[in-house]
Amino acid sequence: MRRHARKLILALALSAALPGAANATAPQPVVLGVNTAGIPQTMGSALDTFAAKAGAMPQIAMYYQDWYEGWSTALVNPNFVSQATARGVTPMITWEPCLDTAGTIDQPAYAPRNIARGDFDPYIHRAAREAKAFGQPFFVRLAHEMNGGWSTWGRGVNGNTP
């Protein structure tokens, strides 16, 4: 019986993913995204240089932002993102709950359990206010690649478990 149930679940999952499935949406276009030298500090010129070499302006510009509370912004730095949006490019901020300057993944203060407990709520609220004030679309990649053990939030680091 379990074998048949697995086949049924697989068949349902596959049928839901096929074009024309009842719950399928219209296909979305694939867009060009970039993370290249100069992003985010000189976002505008970095995007212009990339576009000149690639023959097309990317639609997404990705950069990394750690949780250093001494930065002038927690998440959305207008000096960076406005250079992207002025070119029709959507910023993608990879928001990393750690201190990049620490030089180590051993940062137990940034363990997901501490974030969930509320230890960083003022910082997260500050980021939310910045996002609202920015008022334009952008992407946030929070704690990317959490399946690996190479980041403060990763599996097996600082006591993290699935």
Side-chain angles (χ1 to χ4, degrees), residues 29-131:
V30 174
V31 299
L32 176 64
V34 66
N35 174 284
T36 189
I39 294 176
Q41 291 80 5
T42 56
M43 177 86 75
S45 60
L47 290 170
D48 293 341
T49 299
F50 178 85
K53 290 179 180 178
M57 181 65 70
Q59 291 185 331
I60 299 171
M62 192 278 290
Y63 66 93
Y64 297 89
Q65 173 76 37
D66 72 355
W67 281 26
Y68 173 61
E69 295 181 64
W71 295 127
S72 61
T73 56
L75 177 63
V76 182
N77 185 324
N79 296 324
F80 301 157
V81 296
S82 63
Q83 293 179 52
T85 57
R87 289 161 175 78
V89 177
T90 303
M92 176 184 285
I93 304 164
T94 300
W95 206 28
E96 302 180 306
C98 68
L99 292 180
D100 188 46
T101 56
T104 178
I105 62 171
D106 184 25
Q107 299 180 41
Y110 292 90
R113 67 184 166 281
N114 298 344
I115 296 167
R117 183 175 61 215
D119 292 5
F120 292 90
D121 281 1
Y123 187 71
I124 294 168
H125 290 152
R126 180 176 152 202
R129 287 189 300 275
E130 292 171 11

Side-chain angles (χ1 to χ4, degrees), residues 6-32:
R6 281 190 221 144
K7 286 181 181 179
L8 177 60
I9 291 169
L10 179 59
L12 289 172
L14 288 173
S15 67
L18 293 174
N23 63 347
T25 59
Q28 299 298 312
V30 174
V31 299
L32 176 64

